[in-house]
Amino acid sequence: MKIAFVGKGGSGKTTLSSLFIRHLATTGSPVVAVDADINQHLGPALGLDEDAAAELPAMGARLPLIKDYLRGSNPRIASADTMIKTTPPGEGSRLLRVGENNPVYDACARPVELDGDAVRLMVTGPFTEADLGVACYHSKTGAVELCLNHLVDGRGEYVVVDMTAGSDSFASGMFTRFDMTFLVAEPTRKGVSVYRQYKEYARDFGVALKVVGNKVQGEDDLDFLRSEVGDDLLVTVGHSDWVRAMEKGRPPRFALLEEDNRAALRALQAAADATYEARDWERYTRQMVHFHRKNAQSWGNERTGADLEVQVDPGYVLQESVTATA
């Protein structure tokens, strides 16, 4: 299952995504965690010290390797240089599985131990000095989108992506790559404003969206969220001594997380798992192709000097039954 955490900056989406990742790890499920936020905080939230987090390999810096591997023997893609962030897979492309070993994970993922369990962590990488003033952050997240386009995941497998803050997620088609999107909202007008934007933008694309109320301190906060987001409100999370200790770098064992917060995490997993039966791989592939054609026409063809629309394999549908590698 592919799951995104989105929300206003400072809403707590990284904290909640890290808690969800820890929860999934305790179930023994294979988990790939991805930090796609402009501010790279998921590693420390999962317990890495600052030095270890800074040494994580940046996906953006390894984009040529990623493209070359995923291209495989696809005859529609002349070279890795003609691949862009939206390039869809076709016959001959190499695909990614959550639990497998492959050169992309070898280059970009690192194991993170969580109370005896482990997850794979991947990061887009921060802005470098060379990027400042000349690069768009979405050039970094393009590596994530490309990998999601080539990912085949099944029941009980999880990819959890901590997305960039606010509505910036809509600067690409990546917002359609998820089975479930959890929007973290504080009980304030600013807190729910991103929800309204997201709901509006996502409506025409069938995005499954649920709200996680964060920093909820009482019935008044709860009533406010219910009145603003209605049935999209899935769970709420309040004060946590465990989270406070984690933010100080001294997290207790995860089993000591407050039971009401553990129950909220179980509800998130149940909501994500419930989308499995409703998966529509044809729509998923169709949306992938839609955004690829838009990007090809608006900037990709000019930048690569090639007609990128020919990369679309008209008879190809990404689905679980597709062979994972070329």
Side-chain angles (χ1 to χ4, degrees):
M1 309 303 293
K2 296 178 287 291
I3 301 158
F5 278 80
V6 301
K8 180 180 71 68
S11 64
K13 66 180 180 61
T14 298
T15 296
L16 284 170
S17 61
S18 72
L19 292 177
F20 187 60
I21 290 163
R22 289 175 184 269
H23 163 73
L24 292 176
T26 66
T27 69
S29 303
V31 180
V32 175
V34 183
D35 192 343
D37 195 356
I38 191 170
N39 299 306
Q40 303 271 281
H41 294 316
L42 185 57
L46 291 173
L48 298 184
D49 62 34
E50 294 297 332
D51 290 339
E55 292 175 0
L56 291 168
M59 296 176 70
R62 289 155 179 81
L63 192 54
L65 179 151
I66 294 171
K67 290 179 177 180
D68 191 58
Y69 178 75
L70 297 179
R71 181 170 72 97
S73 60
N74 187 335
R76 295 176 177 275
I77 303 176
S79 70
D81 291 338
T82 63
M83 294 180 74
I84 61 175
K85 63 182 181 179
T86 53
T87 298
E91 192 67 34
S93 295
R94 290 192 180 99
L95 305 178
L96 303 174
R97 294 274 184 177
V98 175
E100 71 178 1
N101 295 317
N102 58 56
V104 173
Y105 291 158
D106 291 344
C108 302
R110 294 295 180 266
V112 177
E113 297 292 331
L114 300 170
D115 289 351
D117 303 299
V119 301
R120 280 178 167 142
L121 175 61
M122 304 171 73
V123 301
T124 60
F127 261 4
T128 65
E129 186 173 337
D131 296 324
L132 296 178
V134 296
C136 168
Y137 185 71
H138 299 99
S139 65
K140 304 288 186 182
T141 59
V144 180
E145 186 169 356
L146 193 60
C147 285
L148 290 175
N149 280 356
H150 290 74
L151 177 72
V152 179
D153 57 312
R155 186 191 296 274
E157 299 177 326
Y158 299 93
V159 177
V160 181
V161 182
D162 181 21
M163 297 281 280
T164 189
S167 55
D168 283 356
S169 305
F170 292 97
S172 74
M174 192 158 67
F175 74 97
T176 65
R177 302 297 84 199
F178 302 101
D179 298 288
M180 175 59 73
T181 296
F182 292 127
L183 189 145
V184 181
E186 300 170 81
T188 64
R189 291 173 63 186
K190 286 185 178 180
V192 299
S193 64
V194 172
Y195 159 77
R196 293 198 185 94
Q197 285 183 307
Y198 220 101
K199 183 81 169 178
E200 179 68 23
Y201 294 157
R203 180 175 289 113
D204 294 335
F205 293 92
V207 173
L209 179 67
K210 289 295 181 182
V211 174
V212 182
N214 194 28
K215 306 176 186 177
V216 175
Q217 297 182 4
E219 284 298 320
D220 186 62
D221 286 348
L222 183 58
D223 289 343
F224 175 82
L225 286 172
R226 284 173 174 161
S227 67
E228 294 293 325
V229 307
D231 292 340
D232 285 339
L233 181 62
L234 179 63
V235 295
T236 61
V237 178
H239 174 77
S240 170
D241 290 333
W242 193 98
V243 169
R244 181 61 61 88
M246 180 268 289
E247 291 173 340
K248 294 176 180 176
R250 300 193 296 268
R253 290 184 300 109
F254 188 64
L256 298 178
L257 180 70
E258 301 85 358
E259 176 52 33
D260 55 345
N261 290 330
R262 293 177 66 84
L265 297 175
R266 291 193 294 269
L268 296 184
Q269 183 181 4
D273 288 347
T275 66
Y276 180 81
E277 299 298 338
R279 275 184 160 187
D280 185 343
W281 285 103
E282 290 189 0
R283 183 182 70 181
Y284 188 83
T285 305
R286 187 167 60 249
Q287 290 175 342
M288 189 189 312
V289 169
H290 167 76
F291 283 108
H292 180 61
R293 285 181 166 144
K294 286 189 65 174
N295 279 269
Q297 293 167 7
S298 64
W299 61 269
N301 290 345
E302 181 178 358
R303 182 170 301 179
T304 63
D307 180 6
L308 301 184
E309 293 192 53
V310 303
Q311 296 177 346
V312 176
D313 187 337
Y316 187 88
V317 177
L318 184 69
Q319 54 192 322
E320 287 182 64
S321 60
V322 174
T323 303
T325 56

